[in-house]
Amino acid sequence: MNTKVTIAGVEFKNPVMTASGTFGSGMEYSEFVDLNRLGAVVTKGVASVPWPGNPTPRVAEVYGGMLNAIGLQNPGIDVFMQRDIPFLKQYDTEIIVNVCGKTVEDYVDVVEKLGDEPAVAMLEINVSCPNVKEGAIAFGQKADALYNITAELKKHAKQPIIMKLSPNVTDITEMAKAAEAAGADALSLINTITGMKIDIHKRTFAIANKTGGMSGPAIKPVAVRMVYQVAQAVKIPIIGMGGIANAEDAIEFLLAGASAVSIGAMNFVNPYTTVEVVEGIEAYMKKYHVEDIRELIGAVR
Amino acid sequence: MKQKVTATVISQKEIAPAIYDMWIATDLAEQALPGQFICVYPKNKSTLLPRPISICEVAGDKKALRIVYRIAGQGTTEFSGYQAGESVEVLGTLGNGFPVAAGKGKKVFLMGGGIGVPPILQLAKELREEGLAKEEIQIVVGYRDSRMFLKEDLEQYGTVYVATEDGSFGTKGNVMNAIEENGISADVIFACGPMPMLRAIKQYAEEKDITAYISLEEHMACGVGACLGCVVKTKKADHHSHVHNARICTDGPVFEAAEVDI
Ligand SMILES: Cc1cc2nc3c(=O)[nH]c(=O)nc-3n(C[C@H](O)[C@H](O)[C@H](O)COP(=O)(O)OP(=O)(O)OC[C@H]3O[C@@H](n4cnc5c(N)ncnc54)[C@H](O)[C@@H]3O)c2cc1C
Ligand SMILES: Cc1cc2nc3c(=O)[nH]c(=O)nc-3n(C[C@H](O)[C@H](O)[C@H](O)COP(=O)(O)O)c2cc1C
Ligand code: FES
């Protein structure tokens, strides 16, 4: 039985990854999960300099999911490369670093520094965080802006790049095609869906930032639909995410056209989710006599 | 080691209006420290996030934990319906806990306000085990009214001073008023309660030039330091992100009052 998948020339032992921002750099969850079992660890977004993030409350619960507006708090690329990469290198898993920035130069700076680190297999470019005022999302909501930043980063990146798409657009296939045309090696989707919650007792917003990105099981049907649409529109591989809670959910994404999947908010609910998904996919393959996981990718058209 | 486990409810009762007292059987008790907390997961799958609840008491045989909580919303309403024998998913033990050693050989204030009272109990118990006399363990607690909870439990380990908002028992007002009215003082403070109380304690400790350890609250998603949801502004750069935002769930919930901007 083969569970290996290849994305832009990088081989992953299985298609199960962590979703950026929900797993730190793996350190916190390594108490619960053997990181060696995962296809890849995708790190929290890292910028060229430290970012303090947003005021609290930063998280709120909503029906079947949550809102967050962390605001990309991160220690900056220098600390990250000295501390987080060496930590992850101890494990037999691929390292994907999620990159954020306010300007194109910010992104280029981080991408160039990471180019010196051969242990990093791929870069995931976050142009879709709804929680920071400048930059980020602006690049992810207009096809020409997305094309430009993708093309620029391709000039500087040593590793293959994954463009992470926002669901907060009218037509996600337009964005996917723009990224592909600019040379993106892969796509990941979806980032969170912009939402809002009002505390009726306090008559305030539940999140200090007023809006927050929604994630968790409640967004899964939207995510599956978008992965399917994008899979029909482009040829580059897709990493699918949004509300995955178990192997059944993950398999839905594979069948819709994703070559790999990421687990986000459900890590908070069940810290063992990632490994349970790895095991559940194997059990599904046995049950249906699937010899090679690649038979599942995009099998439902 | 942090673990998510299935615990079993041993007993549950309402000890004051909307305040519930639950004992759960779990091996997490072996590692539990005063001031640490556990995350309790509702069974209802529409309410996914864990509910952080302080450890109120650890059973003598270290096989069970006691939590005391107020009904605040959907999750705690669900918990209040649990019967003995029922299972409950919990993650623990989390956070740093109170530095018991900082109270050794000192005269201490243990201050709790409202639903901040529960973690004070295990702390009082452990300070007593550290050899402090009952007179040195000055427990100052504040409630809304005379429908108090955990008062008798606390009296086993220290001298209890009470304030009630409506004056129906003890000092009328808050815990600071109770300190004043009773003319008491301490070398070090340990506290848990609402933000206005913690701010008053921070100021009091600065004026008296003593150390106060305060337990903070924030909305949490992971409870283990991964999501960066639960931060507090700190004087020094935090060791994780170096941006003066420490994580309450892992760097706290207990902080030195002088170290945080609240
Ligand atoms: C470290 C820590 C220790 C705590 N210890 C206790 C305790 O011993 N006893 C007790 O009664 N309460 C305690 N609380 C508060 C308790 O977590 C909340 O009352 C509880 O989460 C409310 O859940 P709910 O589903 O009933 O309310 P809802 O309002 O339905 O909850 C919705 C969401 O908001 C979160 N939330 C709501 N209020 C709070 C709050 N005050 N703090 C953090 N998250 C909140 C919930 O966890 C949930 O994710 C503690 C909080 C923290 C951070
Ligand atoms: C608390 C939190 C923090 C996140 N931080 C990032 C981030 O730094 N960069 C990023 O690209 N996506 C971030 N995301 C989005 C997730 O990676 C993922 O795309 C989204 O949550 C959908 O998946 P899920 O429903 O499984 O959580 C974050 C999500 C959450 C819940
Ligand atoms: S709750 Fe996630 S970092 Fe504290």
Side-chain angles (χ1 to χ4, degrees), chain A residues 28-29 31 52 56 58 61 63-64 70 73 75 83 268-269 272, chain B residues 2 4 41 46 48-49 51 218 224 228 239-241 245 247:
Chain A
E28 289 78 15
Y29 281 106
E31 269 191 73
T56 56
R58 292 176 170 185
E61 184 176 79
Y63 198 99
I70 307 297
Q73 174 175 329
R83 177 188 63 192
F268 308 153
V269 183
Y272 312 106
Chain B
K2 291 174 197 137
K4 189 179 177 195
Y41 295 80
S46 71
L48 285 166
L49 294 182
R51 272 57 181 169
E218 188 48 78
V224 299
L228 308 180
H239 71 90
H240 180 272
S241 308
N245 270 336
R247 298 161 299 177

PDB file of all heavy atoms in Angstrom, chain A residues 28-29 31 52 56 58 61 63-64 70 73 75 83 268-269 272, chain B residues 2 4 41 46 48-49 51 218 224 228 239-241 245 247:
ATOM      1  N   GLU A  28       4.733  22.408  20.725  1.00  0.00           N
ATOM      2  CA  GLU A  28       3.676  22.239  21.724  1.00  0.00           C
ATOM      3  C   GLU A  28       2.953  20.904  21.555  1.00  0.00           C
ATOM      4  O   GLU A  28       2.655  20.225  22.535  1.00  0.00           O
ATOM      5  CB  GLU A  28       2.667  23.383  21.648  1.00  0.00           C
ATOM      6  CG  GLU A  28       3.205  24.723  22.140  1.00  0.00           C
ATOM      7  CD  GLU A  28       4.099  25.441  21.139  1.00  0.00           C
ATOM      8  OE1 GLU A  28       4.093  25.047  19.950  1.00  0.00           O
ATOM      9  OE2 GLU A  28       4.814  26.373  21.543  1.00  0.00           O
ATOM     10  N   TYR A  29       2.680  20.524  20.305  1.00  0.00           N
ATOM     11  CA  TYR A  29       1.923  19.288  20.090  1.00  0.00           C
ATOM     12  C   TYR A  29       2.805  18.044  20.061  1.00  0.00           C
ATOM     13  O   TYR A  29       2.293  16.926  20.002  1.00  0.00           O
ATOM     14  CB  TYR A  29       1.065  19.397  18.828  1.00  0.00           C
ATOM     15  CG  TYR A  29      -0.195  20.194  19.091  1.00  0.00           C
ATOM     16  CD1 TYR A  29      -0.349  21.492  18.630  1.00  0.00           C
ATOM     17  CD2 TYR A  29      -1.219  19.642  19.854  1.00  0.00           C
ATOM     18  CE1 TYR A  29      -1.493  22.222  18.903  1.00  0.00           C
ATOM     19  CE2 TYR A  29      -2.369  20.355  20.138  1.00  0.00           C
ATOM     20  CZ  TYR A  29      -2.502  21.648  19.657  1.00  0.00           C
ATOM     21  OH  TYR A  29      -3.632  22.364  19.942  1.00  0.00           O
ATOM     22  N   GLU A  31       4.217  16.851  22.392  1.00  0.00           N
ATOM     23  CA  GLU A  31       3.898  16.099  23.614  1.00  0.00           C
ATOM     24  C   GLU A  31       2.775  15.099  23.375  1.00  0.00           C
ATOM     25  O   GLU A  31       2.599  14.152  24.133  1.00  0.00           O
ATOM     26  CB  GLU A  31       3.451  17.060  24.722  1.00  0.00           C
ATOM     27  CG  GLU A  31       4.577  17.556  25.595  1.00  0.00           C
ATOM     28  CD  GLU A  31       4.062  18.282  26.828  1.00  0.00           C
ATOM     29  OE1 GLU A  31       3.552  17.619  27.749  1.00  0.00           O
ATOM     30  OE2 GLU A  31       4.179  19.526  26.860  1.00  0.00           O
ATOM     31  N   PRO A  52       3.681  41.831  16.930  1.00  0.00           N
ATOM     32  CA  PRO A  52       3.017  41.616  18.225  1.00  0.00           C
ATOM     33  C   PRO A  52       1.623  41.001  18.121  1.00  0.00           C
ATOM     34  O   PRO A  52       1.118  40.437  19.079  1.00  0.00           O
ATOM     35  CB  PRO A  52       2.936  43.010  18.830  1.00  0.00           C
ATOM     36  CG  PRO A  52       2.992  43.956  17.672  1.00  0.00           C
ATOM     37  CD  PRO A  52       3.783  43.264  16.590  1.00  0.00           C
ATOM     38  N   THR A  56      -6.531  41.287  22.635  1.00  0.00           N
ATOM     39  CA  THR A  56      -7.444  40.186  22.991  1.00  0.00           C
ATOM     40  C   THR A  56      -8.833  40.759  23.268  1.00  0.00           C
ATOM     41  O   THR A  56      -8.930  41.945  23.576  1.00  0.00           O
ATOM     42  CB  THR A  56      -6.938  39.452  24.245  1.00  0.00           C
ATOM     43  OG1 THR A  56      -6.789  40.400  25.295  1.00  0.00           O
ATOM     44  CG2 THR A  56      -5.627  38.762  23.983  1.00  0.00           C
ATOM     45  N   ARG A  58      -8.798  37.297  21.178  1.00  0.00           N
ATOM     46  CA  ARG A  58      -8.379  36.926  19.824  1.00  0.00           C
ATOM     47  C   ARG A  58      -9.139  35.734  19.282  1.00  0.00           C
ATOM     48  O   ARG A  58      -9.057  35.457  18.089  1.00  0.00           O
ATOM     49  CB  ARG A  58      -6.885  36.576  19.831  1.00  0.00           C
ATOM     50  CG  ARG A  58      -5.947  37.746  20.097  1.00  0.00           C
ATOM     51  CD  ARG A  58      -4.504  37.249  20.171  1.00  0.00           C
ATOM     52  NE  ARG A  58      -3.553  38.355  20.179  1.00  0.00           N
ATOM     53  CZ  ARG A  58      -2.241  38.189  20.134  1.00  0.00           C
ATOM     54  NH1 ARG A  58      -1.728  36.954  20.086  1.00  0.00           N
ATOM     55  NH2 ARG A  58      -1.434  39.224  20.131  1.00  0.00           N
ATOM     56  N   GLU A  61     -15.687  31.173  20.168  1.00  0.00           N
ATOM     57  CA  GLU A  61     -16.328  29.979  19.642  1.00  0.00           C
ATOM     58  C   GLU A  61     -17.576  30.365  18.850  1.00  0.00           C
ATOM     59  O   GLU A  61     -18.287  31.290  19.238  1.00  0.00           O
ATOM     60  CB  GLU A  61     -16.735  29.089  20.810  1.00  0.00           C
ATOM     61  CG  GLU A  61     -17.319  27.763  20.386  1.00  0.00           C
ATOM     62  CD  GLU A  61     -17.597  26.905  21.596  1.00  0.00           C
ATOM     63  OE1 GLU A  61     -18.627  27.129  22.256  1.00  0.00           O
ATOM     64  OE2 GLU A  61     -16.776  26.032  21.898  1.00  0.00           O
ATOM     65  N   TYR A  63     -20.834  28.303  16.313  1.00  0.00           N
ATOM     66  CA  TYR A  63     -21.461  26.998  16.131  1.00  0.00           C
ATOM     67  C   TYR A  63     -20.600  26.109  15.216  1.00  0.00           C
ATOM     68  O   TYR A  63     -20.383  26.433  14.050  1.00  0.00           O
ATOM     69  CB  TYR A  63     -22.853  27.177  15.530  1.00  0.00           C
ATOM     70  CG  TYR A  63     -23.739  25.967  15.709  1.00  0.00           C
ATOM     71  CD1 TYR A  63     -24.677  25.927  16.733  1.00  0.00           C
ATOM     72  CD2 TYR A  63     -23.628  24.870  14.867  1.00  0.00           C
ATOM     73  CE1 TYR A  63     -25.481  24.818  16.913  1.00  0.00           C
ATOM     74  CE2 TYR A  63     -24.425  23.752  15.045  1.00  0.00           C
ATOM     75  CZ  TYR A  63     -25.349  23.729  16.073  1.00  0.00           C
ATOM     76  OH  TYR A  63     -26.139  22.633  16.257  1.00  0.00           O
ATOM     77  N   GLY A  64     -20.100  25.037  15.763  1.00  0.00           N
ATOM     78  CA  GLY A  64     -19.312  24.105  14.958  1.00  0.00           C
ATOM     79  C   GLY A  64     -17.975  24.628  14.489  1.00  0.00           C
ATOM     80  O   GLY A  64     -17.389  24.097  13.544  1.00  0.00           O
ATOM     81  N   ILE A  70      -5.694  36.435  15.496  1.00  0.00           N
ATOM     82  CA  ILE A  70      -4.429  36.444  16.221  1.00  0.00           C
ATOM     83  C   ILE A  70      -3.600  37.633  15.725  1.00  0.00           C
ATOM     84  O   ILE A  70      -2.905  38.292  16.508  1.00  0.00           O
ATOM     85  CB  ILE A  70      -3.634  35.133  15.984  1.00  0.00           C
ATOM     86  CG1 ILE A  70      -4.484  33.883  16.292  1.00  0.00           C
ATOM     87  CG2 ILE A  70      -2.318  35.130  16.768  1.00  0.00           C
ATOM     88  CD1 ILE A  70      -4.935  33.725  17.701  1.00  0.00           C
ATOM     89  N   GLN A  73       0.931  37.116  15.266  1.00  0.00           N
ATOM     90  CA  GLN A  73       2.027  37.274  16.238  1.00  0.00           C
ATOM     91  C   GLN A  73       3.117  36.265  15.882  1.00  0.00           C
ATOM     92  O   GLN A  73       2.853  35.074  15.709  1.00  0.00           O
ATOM     93  CB  GLN A  73       1.520  36.999  17.657  1.00  0.00           C
ATOM     94  CG  GLN A  73       2.645  37.002  18.690  1.00  0.00           C
ATOM     95  CD  GLN A  73       2.134  36.860  20.125  1.00  0.00           C
ATOM     96  OE1 GLN A  73       1.048  37.305  20.451  1.00  0.00           O
ATOM     97  NE2 GLN A  73       2.945  36.245  20.970  1.00  0.00           N
ATOM     98  N   PRO A  75       7.800  35.629  16.047  1.00  0.00           N
ATOM     99  CA  PRO A  75       9.071  36.151  16.554  1.00  0.00           C
ATOM    100  C   PRO A  75       9.985  36.724  15.469  1.00  0.00           C
ATOM    101  O   PRO A  75      11.068  37.204  15.790  1.00  0.00           O
ATOM    102  CB  PRO A  75       9.710  34.911  17.183  1.00  0.00           C
ATOM    103  CG  PRO A  75       9.175  33.778  16.375  1.00  0.00           C
ATOM    104  CD  PRO A  75       7.785  34.168  15.981  1.00  0.00           C
ATOM    105  N   ARG A  83      15.672  28.792  16.224  1.00  0.00           N
ATOM    106  CA  ARG A  83      15.007  27.954  17.211  1.00  0.00           C
ATOM    107  C   ARG A  83      14.069  26.925  16.591  1.00  0.00           C
ATOM    108  O   ARG A  83      14.176  25.736  16.879  1.00  0.00           O
ATOM    109  CB  ARG A  83      14.221  28.843  18.181  1.00  0.00           C
ATOM    110  CG  ARG A  83      13.436  28.059  19.214  1.00  0.00           C
ATOM    111  CD  ARG A  83      12.530  28.948  20.030  1.00  0.00           C
ATOM    112  NE  ARG A  83      11.514  29.592  19.213  1.00  0.00           N
ATOM    113  CZ  ARG A  83      10.742  30.597  19.633  1.00  0.00           C
ATOM    114  NH1 ARG A  83      10.901  31.083  20.860  1.00  0.00           N
ATOM    115  NH2 ARG A  83       9.841  31.123  18.838  1.00  0.00           N
ATOM    116  N   PHE A 268      -7.090  21.685  18.233  1.00  0.00           N
ATOM    117  CA  PHE A 268      -7.431  22.269  19.544  1.00  0.00           C
ATOM    118  C   PHE A 268      -8.458  21.411  20.278  1.00  0.00           C
ATOM    119  O   PHE A 268      -8.540  21.434  21.494  1.00  0.00           O
ATOM    120  CB  PHE A 268      -8.012  23.681  19.386  1.00  0.00           C
ATOM    121  CG  PHE A 268      -7.166  24.621  18.546  1.00  0.00           C
ATOM    122  CD1 PHE A 268      -7.757  25.668  17.851  1.00  0.00           C
ATOM    123  CD2 PHE A 268      -5.787  24.461  18.467  1.00  0.00           C
ATOM    124  CE1 PHE A 268      -6.990  26.542  17.088  1.00  0.00           C
ATOM    125  CE2 PHE A 268      -5.019  25.328  17.706  1.00  0.00           C
ATOM    126  CZ  PHE A 268      -5.616  26.371  17.011  1.00  0.00           C
ATOM    127  N   VAL A 269      -9.265  20.715  19.504  1.00  0.00           N
ATOM    128  CA  VAL A 269     -10.345  19.925  20.083  1.00  0.00           C
ATOM    129  C   VAL A 269      -9.825  18.540  20.453  1.00  0.00           C
ATOM    130  O   VAL A 269     -10.141  17.997  21.511  1.00  0.00           O
ATOM    131  CB  VAL A 269     -11.512  19.805  19.085  1.00  0.00           C
ATOM    132  CG1 VAL A 269     -12.673  19.037  19.699  1.00  0.00           C
ATOM    133  CG2 VAL A 269     -11.952  21.191  18.610  1.00  0.00           C
ATOM    134  N   TYR A 272      -4.766  14.738  19.096  1.00  0.00           N
ATOM    135  CA  TYR A 272      -4.269  13.563  18.378  1.00  0.00           C
ATOM    136  C   TYR A 272      -4.847  13.458  16.959  1.00  0.00           C
ATOM    137  O   TYR A 272      -4.625  12.465  16.267  1.00  0.00           O
ATOM    138  CB  TYR A 272      -4.609  12.280  19.157  1.00  0.00           C
ATOM    139  CG  TYR A 272      -4.248  12.354  20.631  1.00  0.00           C
ATOM    140  CD1 TYR A 272      -5.233  12.503  21.609  1.00  0.00           C
ATOM    141  CD2 TYR A 272      -2.919  12.310  21.045  1.00  0.00           C
ATOM    142  CE1 TYR A 272      -4.901  12.606  22.961  1.00  0.00           C
ATOM    143  CE2 TYR A 272      -2.588  12.403  22.393  1.00  0.00           C
ATOM    144  CZ  TYR A 272      -3.576  12.553  23.342  1.00  0.00           C
ATOM    145  OH  TYR A 272      -3.249  12.654  24.668  1.00  0.00           O
TER     146      TYR A 272
ATOM    147  N   LYS B   2       1.439  16.679  29.511  1.00  0.00           N
ATOM    148  CA  LYS B   2       0.065  17.040  29.169  1.00  0.00           C
ATOM    149  C   LYS B   2      -0.587  15.898  28.409  1.00  0.00           C
ATOM    150  O   LYS B   2       0.023  15.297  27.531  1.00  0.00           O
ATOM    151  CB  LYS B   2       0.049  18.278  28.277  1.00  0.00           C
ATOM    152  CG  LYS B   2       0.484  19.529  28.992  1.00  0.00           C
ATOM    153  CD  LYS B   2       0.582  20.688  28.008  1.00  0.00           C
ATOM    154  CE  LYS B   2       1.400  21.805  28.601  1.00  0.00           C
ATOM    155  NZ  LYS B   2       2.334  22.390  27.637  1.00  0.00           N
ATOM    156  N   LYS B   4      -4.682  14.372  26.936  1.00  0.00           N
ATOM    157  CA  LYS B   4      -6.137  14.445  26.909  1.00  0.00           C
ATOM    158  C   LYS B   4      -6.653  13.083  27.313  1.00  0.00           C
ATOM    159  O   LYS B   4      -6.282  12.076  26.712  1.00  0.00           O
ATOM    160  CB  LYS B   4      -6.651  14.821  25.523  1.00  0.00           C
ATOM    161  CG  LYS B   4      -8.142  15.107  25.553  1.00  0.00           C
ATOM    162  CD  LYS B   4      -8.703  15.513  24.223  1.00  0.00           C
ATOM    163  CE  LYS B   4     -10.212  15.687  24.378  1.00  0.00           C
ATOM    164  NZ  LYS B   4     -10.893  15.725  23.084  1.00  0.00           N
ATOM    165  N   TYR B  41     -13.919  19.464  27.873  1.00  0.00           N
ATOM    166  CA  TYR B  41     -14.553  19.522  26.547  1.00  0.00           C
ATOM    167  C   TYR B  41     -16.028  19.175  26.628  1.00  0.00           C
ATOM    168  O   TYR B  41     -16.377  18.078  27.063  1.00  0.00           O
ATOM    169  CB  TYR B  41     -13.873  18.529  25.593  1.00  0.00           C
ATOM    170  CG  TYR B  41     -12.448  18.878  25.300  1.00  0.00           C
ATOM    171  CD1 TYR B  41     -11.436  18.556  26.202  1.00  0.00           C
ATOM    172  CD2 TYR B  41     -12.102  19.555  24.140  1.00  0.00           C
ATOM    173  CE1 TYR B  41     -10.117  18.892  25.946  1.00  0.00           C
ATOM    174  CE2 TYR B  41     -10.790  19.890  23.878  1.00  0.00           C
ATOM    175  CZ  TYR B  41      -9.802  19.553  24.784  1.00  0.00           C
ATOM    176  OH  TYR B  41      -8.504  19.889  24.536  1.00  0.00           O
ATOM    177  N   SER B  46     -21.394  21.102  18.717  1.00  0.00           N
ATOM    178  CA  SER B  46     -21.460  22.471  18.197  1.00  0.00           C
ATOM    179  C   SER B  46     -20.623  23.405  19.067  1.00  0.00           C
ATOM    180  O   SER B  46     -20.267  24.494  18.653  1.00  0.00           O
ATOM    181  CB  SER B  46     -22.907  22.959  18.135  1.00  0.00           C
ATOM    182  OG  SER B  46     -23.409  23.199  19.428  1.00  0.00           O
ATOM    183  N   LEU B  48     -17.227  23.346  20.371  1.00  0.00           N
ATOM    184  CA  LEU B  48     -16.028  22.526  20.219  1.00  0.00           C
ATOM    185  C   LEU B  48     -14.892  22.869  21.160  1.00  0.00           C
ATOM    186  O   LEU B  48     -14.108  22.002  21.543  1.00  0.00           O
ATOM    187  CB  LEU B  48     -15.509  22.674  18.782  1.00  0.00           C
ATOM    188  CG  LEU B  48     -16.302  21.934  17.716  1.00  0.00           C
ATOM    189  CD1 LEU B  48     -15.898  22.433  16.336  1.00  0.00           C
ATOM    190  CD2 LEU B  48     -16.050  20.438  17.825  1.00  0.00           C
ATOM    191  N   LEU B  49     -14.766  24.143  21.499  1.00  0.00           N
ATOM    192  CA  LEU B  49     -13.546  24.556  22.206  1.00  0.00           C
ATOM    193  C   LEU B  49     -13.558  24.097  23.663  1.00  0.00           C
ATOM    194  O   LEU B  49     -14.603  24.023  24.294  1.00  0.00           O
ATOM    195  CB  LEU B  49     -13.375  26.072  22.136  1.00  0.00           C
ATOM    196  CG  LEU B  49     -13.110  26.657  20.755  1.00  0.00           C
ATOM    197  CD1 LEU B  49     -12.914  28.169  20.844  1.00  0.00           C
ATOM    198  CD2 LEU B  49     -11.894  26.023  20.096  1.00  0.00           C
ATOM    199  N   ARG B  51     -13.131  24.227  27.680  1.00  0.00           N
ATOM    200  CA  ARG B  51     -13.393  25.221  28.730  1.00  0.00           C
ATOM    201  C   ARG B  51     -12.319  25.118  29.796  1.00  0.00           C
ATOM    202  O   ARG B  51     -12.231  24.085  30.490  1.00  0.00           O
ATOM    203  CB  ARG B  51     -14.757  24.956  29.368  1.00  0.00           C
ATOM    204  CG  ARG B  51     -15.940  25.628  28.690  1.00  0.00           C
ATOM    205  CD  ARG B  51     -16.103  25.307  27.256  1.00  0.00           C
ATOM    206  NE  ARG B  51     -17.257  26.008  26.664  1.00  0.00           N
ATOM    207  CZ  ARG B  51     -17.513  26.068  25.381  1.00  0.00           C
ATOM    208  NH1 ARG B  51     -16.723  25.463  24.515  1.00  0.00           N
ATOM    209  NH2 ARG B  51     -18.563  26.723  24.930  1.00  0.00           N
ATOM    210  N   GLU B 218      -8.081  34.361  30.033  1.00  0.00           N
ATOM    211  CA  GLU B 218      -8.308  34.865  28.673  1.00  0.00           C
ATOM    212  C   GLU B 218      -8.989  33.758  27.877  1.00  0.00           C
ATOM    213  O   GLU B 218      -8.899  32.588  28.244  1.00  0.00           O
ATOM    214  CB  GLU B 218      -6.967  35.273  28.032  1.00  0.00           C
ATOM    215  CG  GLU B 218      -7.061  35.992  26.708  1.00  0.00           C
ATOM    216  CD  GLU B 218      -8.067  37.139  26.697  1.00  0.00           C
ATOM    217  OE1 GLU B 218      -7.749  38.223  27.217  1.00  0.00           O
ATOM    218  OE2 GLU B 218      -9.175  36.917  26.183  1.00  0.00           O
ATOM    219  N   VAL B 224      -2.544  24.929  25.044  1.00  0.00           N
ATOM    220  CA  VAL B 224      -1.205  24.357  25.166  1.00  0.00           C
ATOM    221  C   VAL B 224      -0.106  25.243  24.574  1.00  0.00           C
ATOM    222  O   VAL B 224       1.042  24.815  24.445  1.00  0.00           O
ATOM    223  CB  VAL B 224      -1.122  22.941  24.538  1.00  0.00           C
ATOM    224  CG1 VAL B 224      -2.077  21.992  25.250  1.00  0.00           C
ATOM    225  CG2 VAL B 224      -1.418  22.971  23.039  1.00  0.00           C
ATOM    226  N   LEU B 228      -1.631  30.990  20.138  1.00  0.00           N
ATOM    227  CA  LEU B 228      -1.350  32.393  20.472  1.00  0.00           C
ATOM    228  C   LEU B 228      -2.632  33.208  20.660  1.00  0.00           C
ATOM    229  O   LEU B 228      -2.661  34.413  20.431  1.00  0.00           O
ATOM    230  CB  LEU B 228      -0.438  33.051  19.421  1.00  0.00           C
ATOM    231  CG  LEU B 228       0.860  32.286  19.114  1.00  0.00           C
ATOM    232  CD1 LEU B 228       1.685  33.018  18.057  1.00  0.00           C
ATOM    233  CD2 LEU B 228       1.687  32.081  20.373  1.00  0.00           C
ATOM    234  N   HIS B 239       9.351  34.884  26.030  1.00  0.00           N
ATOM    235  CA  HIS B 239      10.401  34.030  25.456  1.00  0.00           C
ATOM    236  C   HIS B 239       9.967  33.350  24.163  1.00  0.00           C
ATOM    237  O   HIS B 239      10.787  32.884  23.399  1.00  0.00           O
ATOM    238  CB  HIS B 239      10.880  33.011  26.487  1.00  0.00           C
ATOM    239  CG  HIS B 239       9.877  31.964  26.778  1.00  0.00           C
ATOM    240  ND1 HIS B 239       9.820  30.802  26.073  1.00  0.00           N
ATOM    241  CD2 HIS B 239       8.858  31.906  27.661  1.00  0.00           C
ATOM    242  CE1 HIS B 239       8.825  30.061  26.518  1.00  0.00           C
ATOM    243  NE2 HIS B 239       8.218  30.719  27.482  1.00  0.00           N
ATOM    244  N   HIS B 240       8.664  33.334  23.896  1.00  0.00           N
ATOM    245  CA  HIS B 240       8.205  32.640  22.685  1.00  0.00           C
ATOM    246  C   HIS B 240       8.290  33.522  21.443  1.00  0.00           C
ATOM    247  O   HIS B 240       8.976  33.213  20.491  1.00  0.00           O
ATOM    248  CB  HIS B 240       6.775  32.130  22.869  1.00  0.00           C
ATOM    249  CG  HIS B 240       6.240  31.420  21.666  1.00  0.00           C
ATOM    250  ND1 HIS B 240       5.594  32.090  20.647  1.00  0.00           N
ATOM    251  CD2 HIS B 240       6.276  30.126  21.294  1.00  0.00           C
ATOM    252  CE1 HIS B 240       5.259  31.218  19.715  1.00  0.00           C
ATOM    253  NE2 HIS B 240       5.665  30.020  20.084  1.00  0.00           N
ATOM    254  N   SER B 241       7.572  34.656  21.441  1.00  0.00           N
ATOM    255  CA  SER B 241       7.529  35.504  20.253  1.00  0.00           C
ATOM    256  C   SER B 241       8.400  36.756  20.380  1.00  0.00           C
ATOM    257  O   SER B 241       8.531  37.507  19.421  1.00  0.00           O
ATOM    258  CB  SER B 241       6.095  35.930  19.956  1.00  0.00           C
ATOM    259  OG  SER B 241       5.226  34.831  19.902  1.00  0.00           O
ATOM    260  N   ASN B 245       4.205  39.707  24.613  1.00  0.00           N
ATOM    261  CA  ASN B 245       2.887  39.080  24.681  1.00  0.00           C
ATOM    262  C   ASN B 245       3.084  37.648  25.137  1.00  0.00           C
ATOM    263  O   ASN B 245       3.426  36.785  24.338  1.00  0.00           O
ATOM    264  CB  ASN B 245       2.232  39.051  23.291  1.00  0.00           C
ATOM    265  CG  ASN B 245       1.398  40.281  23.011  1.00  0.00           C
ATOM    266  OD1 ASN B 245       0.924  40.945  23.925  1.00  0.00           O
ATOM    267  ND2 ASN B 245       1.212  40.578  21.746  1.00  0.00           N
ATOM    268  N   ARG B 247       1.877  33.940  26.693  1.00  0.00           N
ATOM    269  CA  ARG B 247       0.690  33.092  26.583  1.00  0.00           C
ATOM    270  C   ARG B 247       0.204  32.716  27.979  1.00  0.00           C
ATOM    271  O   ARG B 247       0.945  32.084  28.741  1.00  0.00           O
ATOM    272  CB  ARG B 247       1.035  31.825  25.792  1.00  0.00           C
ATOM    273  CG  ARG B 247       1.470  32.114  24.363  1.00  0.00           C
ATOM    274  CD  ARG B 247       2.230  30.950  23.782  1.00  0.00           C
ATOM    275  NE  ARG B 247       3.451  30.674  24.547  1.00  0.00           N
ATOM    276  CZ  ARG B 247       4.268  29.672  24.297  1.00  0.00           C
ATOM    277  NH1 ARG B 247       4.001  28.827  23.340  1.00  0.00           N
ATOM    278  NH2 ARG B 247       5.362  29.503  25.020  1.00  0.00           N
TER     279      ARG B 247
END
